[in-house]
Amino acid sequence: MNWTLGGNMKKLIAVSMLTAALIGMGGTAAYADTTDPTDTPVSTDTTDGAVFSETGEPQTIEDSPTTGSGWTSPVTYPGDTTNSQCEGGVTFYRANNATTTFTPATGKDSSVTGNSGVTLTISRSTSFAVTGTFSSTTGVTLQAGVAAVKQDYGWSVAVNKTGTSSSSGAWKVPSSYKIGRLSIGALKHRGTIQQYVQNRACKNVATGKSASYNMPENGWSFQHSKVS
């Protein structure tokens, strides 16, 4: 009896063989359909611990700025300081970011390992989660805190980040690695938010107790690293 394998059957067998090969090497099978044109282009970065976004762009984790873009001075914002006369009573908030770290997500198959030369991907159909915290005060609510972080740094954050990824975050384990790991997660920012009130002399006076936050961005990131 002769059998003819269709395209779908061939693809299923190929994926099954690749899955079995990875599991045999101690890896976790967490694949996305690599034929989908919306998948992230394969990253060939060989920097240990490198992080890239769902669009494939590299993301740099560094100290927060203290001047310039992404930073708001509590002395000059808001109001007109040219005439030394302001309305008074204007309330606003300023965010201060202390650290930014990549936080791996929880959930089934949130990371996958493989040997040199293997292209690792993470399934886009799996739901992941990164949890955070926000300690509100009488003067700083969660809504005000999220808005302040967005205004001062441009980051859209939330106490909890959950859901599926829009891309597989594919990464090819370089030849210099024996085993590599690909993980999905989010950039988590930690800092404080202070309420200020501007008086009639255009001075911004801190009021009340500052709120603290440790919240992930509303967007998935991927980190690849060297296991051995």
Side-chain angles (χ1 to χ4, degrees), residues 46-50 171 173-174 176-182 223-228:
T46 58
T47 305
D48 192 16
W171 174 62
V173 181
S176 58
Y177 290 15
K178 182 179 179 181
I179 300 176
R181 175 181 288 114
L182 177 68
Q223 182 184 60
H224 52 69
S225 56
K226 182 178 182 179
V227 177
S228 64

Side-chain angles (χ1 to χ4, degrees), residues 73-87 198-204:
S73 168
V75 177
T76 60
Y77 177 84
D80 179 11
T81 59
T82 60
N83 56 17
S84 297
Q85 290 296 319
C86 294
E87 294 181 8
Q198 187 180 70
N199 60 27
R200 291 183 179 275
C202 300
K203 298 297 182 181
N204 299 321

Side-chain angles (χ1 to χ4, degrees), residues 1 53 55 59 64 95 107 120 159 178 201:
M1 182 179 294
S53 68
T55 62
Q59 294 182 289
S64 58
L120 305 177
V159 174
K178 182 179 179 181

Side-chain angles (χ1 to χ4, degrees), residues 9-10 25 27 39 47 55-56 60 107 110 115 128 162 164 209 211-214:
M9 180 63 72
K10 290 180 180 179
M25 294 184 294
D39 275 355
T47 305
T55 62
T60 301
S110 59
N115 285 16
F128 303 103
T162 60
T164 59
K209 183 179 179 181
S212 61
Y213 67 92
N214 187 19

Side-chain angles (χ1 to χ4, degrees), residues 14 44 80 153 211:
T44 57
D80 179 11
Y153 292 98

Side-chain angles (χ1 to χ4, degrees), residues 53-128:
S53 68
E54 291 181 281
T55 62
E57 295 296 321
Q59 294 182 289
T60 301
I61 300 177
E62 57 186 12
D63 293 336
S64 58
T66 54
T67 59
S69 178
W71 186 83
T72 300
S73 168
V75 177
T76 60
Y77 177 84
D80 179 11
T81 59
T82 60
N83 56 17
S84 297
Q85 290 296 319
C86 294
E87 294 181 8
V90 177
T91 300
F92 65 100
Y93 305 88
R94 177 191 166 212
N96 176 61
N97 188 65
T99 62
T100 297
T101 57
F102 173 82
T103 302
T106 58
K108 187 180 185 311
D109 294 332
S110 59
S111 69
V112 58
T113 59
N115 285 16
S116 173
V118 174
T119 298
L120 305 177
T121 61
I122 291 177
S123 175
R124 293 177 297 155
S125 62
T126 302
S127 182
F128 303 103

Side-chain angles (χ1 to χ4, degrees), residues 16 49 64 93 152 160 194 216:
S16 298
S64 58
Y93 305 88
D152 291 349
N160 298 305
Q194 180 67 56

